[in-house]
């Protein structure tokens, strides 16, 4: 297996003393660790990514970026039609490869440049008169793509550095007399009860709920998370929203559990070994590293090198396309 | 993946001709396809408005076909999905002038 060494560029979210020890945790890295320590190693520590994952990631980032652009424009008081034009220009620009002189291409039929633009247009039509209004922060900026970071008040046992939780909230909104954290989710699945049920309990939404409770604490009206679901198919896009709330005791329980996972990770770091959770291999249509883990350990480095691309996951770095 | 974009040329003129046929099919084939393959910095706001118009029309037709399918559905029968082909075919019969930008779908 390839090792994270001190020769590799320092990632801000990792300890400078022990480069394999993550200090700043976002929902993606924490979710990976909770799912399977080996999955965490391959995806977060080593940064291996499949071709399919990179398309999902690119599509998701473009979708989020368009939403951010649109809601910033609207929060600035820009007229609806002008904001729509500006947003579509932003999407077309962002998905054009100026070096190669051609648009971004994808071999996934439901996640193409066309389905992306269509989805953004359909979203803006459906929510033209949006009952969710963007929260304006005290600094006068809209609460859109809001980066957060807060210390957990917990030191690592290995390096005695502080752990932090971090991430990016898509949008803070007011709705039904309260403040909510809005999170965009694109999917191929039906936006039914089963779809929304998966977010309660769920790691990412628990983290955002905790973050929202801290960020919007002063308002004293923080309610929870709104899932802004987008079902993206080859010929249509559908949208559905649902609120998800947690009690203060549920928030505390999630934080308590988190500490156990962080301590567990310290054991993996100390042993330089992230074990396989072979009960998670078939989750969500199958783990992207199944072909690696199903091979003999001695040939895995070769499979990883040959079949996977590379990215550097650093939660403290701002989300970029 | 993020790189600074070159400045947009304020004098850029849309290289694309206005649709010269009456059906949306021509509009789609001759204009939208070209717009999607044109560097975005060369697109005028009117070009972008046409992209928006097209997708709004597509949504409108999709919703109509979905409602028609729902009306035809017998009790106990599964919901029928609208096929991509039927949306394109229905759009092909729409006159271009029906695609108002300010309409509420």
């Amino acid at each position: 297996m390839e090792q994270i060494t001190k020769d590799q560029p320092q990632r801000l979210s990792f300890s400078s003393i022990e480069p394999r020890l993550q200090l700043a945790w976002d929902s993606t890295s924490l979710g990976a660790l909770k799912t399977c320590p080996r999955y965490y190693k391959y995806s977060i520590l080593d940064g291996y990514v499949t071709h399919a994952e990179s398309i999902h990631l690119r599509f998701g980032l473009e979708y989020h970026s368009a939403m951010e652009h649109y809601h910033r424009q609207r929060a600035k008081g820009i007229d609806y039609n002008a904001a729509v034009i500006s947003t579509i220009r932003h999407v077309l620009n962002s998905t054009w490869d100026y070096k190669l002189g051609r648009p971004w291409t994808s071999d996934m039929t439901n996640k193409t440049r066309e389905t992306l633009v269509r989805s953004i247009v359909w979203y803006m039509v459906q929510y033209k008169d949006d009952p969710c209004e963007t929260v304006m922060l005290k600094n006068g900026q809209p609460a859109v793509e809001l980066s957060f970071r807060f210390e957990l008040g917990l030191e690592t046992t290995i390096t005695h550095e502080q752990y932090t939780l971090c991430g990016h909230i898509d949008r803070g909104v007011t709705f039904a007399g309260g403040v909510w954290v809005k999170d965009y989710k694109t999917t191929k699945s039906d936006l039914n009860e089963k779809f929304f049920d998966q977010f309660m309990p769920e790691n990412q939404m628990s983290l955002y709920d905790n973050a929202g409770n801290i960020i919007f604490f002063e308002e004293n009206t923080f309610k929870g998370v709104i899932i802004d679901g987008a079902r993206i198919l080859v010929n249509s896009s559908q949208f559905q929203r649902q609120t998800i709330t947690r009690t203060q005791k549920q928030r505390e329980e999630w934080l308590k559990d988190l500490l156990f996972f962080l301590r567990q990770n310290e054991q993996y770091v100390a042993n330089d070994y992230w074990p396989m959770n072979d009960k998670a291999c078939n989750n969500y249509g199958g783990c992207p590293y199944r072909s690696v883990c199903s091979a003999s350990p001695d040939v895995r480095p070769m499979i990883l090198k040959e079949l996977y691309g590379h990215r550097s996951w650093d939660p403290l770095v701002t989300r970029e396309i | 993946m993020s790189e600074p974009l070159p400045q947009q040329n304020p004098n850029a003129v849309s290289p694309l001709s206005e649709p010269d046929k009456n059906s949306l099919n021509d509009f789609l084939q001759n204009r939208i396809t070209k717009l999607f393959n044109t560097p975005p910095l060369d697109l005028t706001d009117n070009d972008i408005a046409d992209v928006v118009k097209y997708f709004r029309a597509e949504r409108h037709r999709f919703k109509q076909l979905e409602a028609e399918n729902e009306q035809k559905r017998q009790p106990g029968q599964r919901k029928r999905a609208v096929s991509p082909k039927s949306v394109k075919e229905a759009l092909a019969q729409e006159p271009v002038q029906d695609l108002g930008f300010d309409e509420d779908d």
Side-chain angles (χ1 to χ4, degrees):
Chain A
M1 280 181 228
E2 277 194 22
Q3 300 292 323
I4 298 287
T5 67
K6 286 183 179 174
D7 299 331
Q8 287 171 315
Q10 169 65 34
R11 285 186 281 182
L12 295 172
S13 310
F14 287 76
S15 165
S16 54
I17 305 162
E18 170 47 86
R20 296 164 304 174
L21 179 62
Q22 188 170 348
L23 300 174
W25 290 81
D26 68 342
S27 65
T28 303
S29 48
L30 186 58
L33 181 73
K34 287 180 175 181
T35 302
C36 167
R38 185 67 54 84
Y39 173 82
Y40 167 78
K41 174 166 168 42
Y42 288 152
S43 64
I44 305 295
L45 281 183
D46 299 343
Y48 289 112
V49 61
T50 63
H51 176 63
E53 276 178 303
S54 61
I55 290 177
H56 287 306
L57 191 67
R58 174 73 190 265
F59 191 94
L61 285 170
E62 296 288 358
Y63 186 85
H64 276 80
S65 173
M67 290 293 149
E68 178 188 355
H69 186 91
Y70 174 68
H71 288 298
R72 276 195 196 282
Q73 299 271 309
R74 296 293 282 150
K76 273 194 258 173
I78 307 276
D79 156 65
Y80 170 76
N81 283 346
V84 169
I85 297 289
S86 171
T87 302
I88 297 306
R89 181 179 286 288
H90 172 84
V91 178
L92 291 172
N93 249 329
S94 181
T95 50
W96 185 267
D97 189 328
Y98 281 91
K99 264 188 195 159
L100 297 175
R102 63 170 174 76
W104 167 62
T105 54
S106 149
D107 51 17
M108 290 182 122
T109 50
N110 73 319
K111 291 198 169 171
T112 63
R113 191 172 186 239
E114 187 176 331
T115 63
L116 175 71
V117 174
R118 179 197 67 206
S119 302
I120 304 298
V121 172
W122 288 26
Y123 179 94
M124 293 187 293
V125 171
Q126 181 158 331
Y127 297 115
K128 182 180 177 185
D129 300 311
D130 197 340
C132 298
E133 285 186 22
T134 304
V135 170
M136 297 305 288
L137 301 170
K138 281 182 180 161
N139 62 7
Q141 293 298 310
V144 174
E145 189 63 18
L146 196 61
S147 295
F148 67 87
R149 180 181 181 178
F150 52 88
E151 290 197 349
L152 280 169
L154 181 78
E155 279 185 359
T156 77
T157 55
I158 301 175
T159 62
H160 302 288
E161 292 163 286
Q162 281 285 329
Y163 278 117
T164 57
L165 274 182
C166 60
H168 310 281
I169 284 174
D170 289 340
R171 194 178 161 213
V173 297
T174 54
F175 175 70
V179 174
W180 301 78
V181 162
K182 189 86 104 63
D183 195 67
Y184 305 114
K185 286 275 172 250
T186 60
T187 179
K188 264 205 302 197
S189 311
D190 221 337
L191 297 173
N192 53 18
E193 208 180 319
K194 194 178 162 196
F195 172 79
F196 290 106
D197 279 353
Q198 69 181 306
F199 300 107
M200 183 69 180
E202 196 268 339
N203 176 63
Q204 184 185 30
M205 292 313 130
S206 293
L207 198 161
Y208 288 178
D209 181 83
N210 267 290
N213 194 39
I214 292 169
I215 296 167
F216 301 114
F217 184 74
E218 281 182 30
E219 277 82 355
N220 202 26
T221 53
F222 179 71
K223 300 282 186 194
V225 178
I226 296 176
I227 304 289
D228 207 339
R231 185 187 193 198
I232 297 171
L233 301 175
V234 177
N235 66 324
S236 68
S237 306
Q238 293 149 26
F239 306 95
Q240 191 76 39
R241 292 170 171 173
Q242 191 158 312
T243 57
I244 294 174
T245 55
R246 282 153 169 82
T247 64
Q248 192 55 33
K249 284 196 182 302
Q250 284 175 311
R251 287 177 186 140
E252 287 162 13
E253 181 187 39
W254 184 82
L255 285 168
K256 184 178 172 183
D257 290 351
L258 167 68
L259 305 188
F260 280 86
F261 281 102
L262 296 181
R263 291 292 184 231
Q264 214 170 352
N265 186 54
E266 291 173 4
Q267 293 299 310
Y268 305 146
V269 174
N271 289 293
D272 193 20
Y273 191 79
W274 284 261
M276 195 189 300
N277 171 15
D278 55 11
K279 289 297 283 178
C281 304
N282 297 316
N283 289 354
Y284 309 111
C287 174
Y289 305 105
R290 261 192 82 139
S291 60
V292 180
C293 294
S294 61
S296 178
D298 51 328
V299 295
R300 285 177 197 156
M302 193 182 68
I303 298 173
L304 284 164
K305 203 175 169 187
E306 291 298 318
L307 300 181
Y308 293 79
H310 195 266
R311 69 165 181 201
S312 177
W313 190 262
D314 196 342
L316 289 181
V317 174
T318 311
R319 212 152 41 183
E320 279 188 1
I321 293 169
Chain B
M1 278 191 281
S2 178
E3 283 187 15
L5 294 171
Q7 288 297 303
Q8 190 181 357
N9 175 7
N11 301 318
V13 178
S14 167
L16 305 165
S17 59
E18 289 300 314
D20 53 4
K21 299 273 178 66
N22 287 328
S23 81
L24 185 60
N25 191 41
D26 294 311
F27 183 77
L28 167 68
Q29 295 301 328
N30 298 331
R31 186 133 173 86
I32 298 299
T33 307
K34 277 186 190 171
L35 292 175
F36 261 77
N37 286 291
T38 301
L41 291 176
D42 291 337
L43 299 177
T44 65
D45 280 355
N46 283 340
D47 294 332
I48 306 271
D50 281 348
V51 173
V52 175
K53 272 182 200 173
Y54 170 68
F55 285 110
R56 291 183 76 154
E58 197 184 60
R59 179 180 185 273
H60 186 67
R61 285 306 283 143
F62 180 84
K63 295 277 177 199
Q64 281 182 335
L65 291 167
E66 206 176 38
E68 283 169 22
N69 278 358
E70 192 57 28
Q71 266 188 344
K72 285 181 207 162
R73 190 159 68 107
Q74 300 295 318
Q77 204 177 14
R78 278 188 68 182
K79 199 175 171 181
R80 257 182 62 207
V82 177
S83 77
K85 202 179 160 199
S86 60
V87 179
K88 301 278 183 211
E89 280 171 0
L91 277 172
Q93 291 157 21
E94 295 265 350
V96 173
Q97 55 267 32
D98 284 357
L99 304 174
F101 183 59
D102 291 317
E103 73 174 276
D104 282 321
D105 298 67

